[in-house]
Amino acid sequence: MTEWGPIRVVALDDHDFILRSLADLETLAHGGVRLVGSFTSAEELLAAVAELKPAVAIVDLFLYGRIAGHEVIAELADRGIWSIAFTAEHRRVPVRLAMQAGARGLVLKSDSVSVLLQAVRDVAGGGWSQSSMMAAILLQESESVPNLSQQELECLRLAGEGVPVYAIGRQFDPPITLSSVKTYLTRAYEKYAAVGREVANTTQAAVETVSDGWFDV
């Protein structure tokens, strides 16, 4: 509850059953929280927030088969609406992107609704909230995500698909030279090393990139 009434909340998740479970927020809050909108479409949520005037948005990070929640969080932040990243993800990239986009909290879908309610209260009060020890671990791990360029990621993606290094450049449009491919791969190794994650070869770097979640972005 704020001095202007219940905390107004909207939620975005591409699964209806998750949204239905969030209806318990109002019951647990005893009138202190009002869920003013639940959406499975980011476009519909963004079109409605001007009228709904939420204080907090609960945003799923994995939408429509890819990591996309951070894009919604960034758009909401531009409109002065604070977001809680809400996810079942245990990978580094989605959490890192959400924090960079301006998320004010992280709650796991495995956490109870009462834990999510406390996060809503914390964020609405202008604070920060991490829901659990696991969320804290994920936040810490997300700091070890290297800032890879699109070219570096594409080289690693192709390598992970089994394309030999000498043939990777031919898959680009327009094609790039073998020398450029080797440069991108070397930069990727160096960036992993800079965040404390040594990779010894292209295969290992590709595996790390996949496990971080880069290719679902």
Side-chain angles (χ1 to χ4, degrees):
M1 179 79 73
T2 69
E3 60 181 300
W4 303 282
I7 301 167
R8 298 174 66 84
V9 176
V10 292
L12 171 66
D13 197 291
D14 57 357
H15 293 95
D16 282 323
F17 73 92
I18 295 291
L19 294 175
R20 287 195 297 270
S21 72
L22 297 182
D24 290 340
L25 282 172
E26 292 193 6
T27 303
L28 288 170
H30 303 293
V33 167
R34 184 181 174 198
L35 188 62
V36 295
S38 296
F39 301 87
T40 57
S41 162
E43 291 75 16
E44 291 178 4
L45 179 145
L46 292 171
V49 291
E51 179 180 351
L52 295 176
K53 296 181 174 58
V56 178
I58 300 167
V59 180
D60 186 13
L61 297 186
F62 199 82
L63 299 165
Y64 333 119
R66 72 183 185 93
I67 297 165
H70 63 287
E71 298 168 351
V72 181
I73 289 170
E75 179 68 28
L76 291 169
D78 287 343
R79 302 186 191 192
I81 300 167
W82 291 332
S83 295
I84 295 171
F86 187 52
T87 186
E89 285 286 337
H90 284 198
R91 293 179 293 176
R92 294 176 172 92
V93 167
V95 175
R96 175 69 178 273
L97 292 176
M99 297 306 107
Q100 290 176 332
R104 297 292 293 266
L106 175 65
V107 175
L108 306 183
K109 291 186 179 180
S110 57
D111 293 323
S112 68
V113 176
S114 61
V115 169
L116 177 58
L117 175 60
Q118 186 57 53
V120 167
R121 289 169 173 153
D122 291 342
V123 171
W128 160 264
S129 182
Q130 60 191 34
S131 64
S132 61
M133 181 61 71
M134 179 57 72
I137 291 170
L138 286 175
L139 286 168
Q140 184 176 5
E141 289 182 347
S142 73
E143 294 300 316
S144 64
V145 174
N147 186 24
L148 300 175
S149 71
Q150 285 299 119
Q151 295 89 344
E152 292 156 4
L153 285 168
E154 184 65 6
C155 287
L156 290 172
R157 183 185 68 80
L158 291 166
E161 293 176 355
V163 178
V165 170
Y166 67 81
I168 287 175
R170 302 172 196 166
Q171 307 298 314
F172 277 69
D173 185 18
I176 62 175
T177 65
L178 176 58
S179 176
S180 294
V181 170
K182 289 181 176 179
T183 296
Y184 290 136
L185 291 173
T186 298
R187 288 176 182 171
Y189 303 159
E190 291 172 346
K191 289 178 179 180
Y192 269 106
V195 294
R197 299 168 65 191
E198 297 286 346
V199 292
N201 52 52
T202 302
T203 300
Q204 186 180 353
V207 168
E208 290 295 322
T209 308
V210 169
S211 67
D212 283 347
W214 274 116
F215 300 131
D216 285 326
V217 177

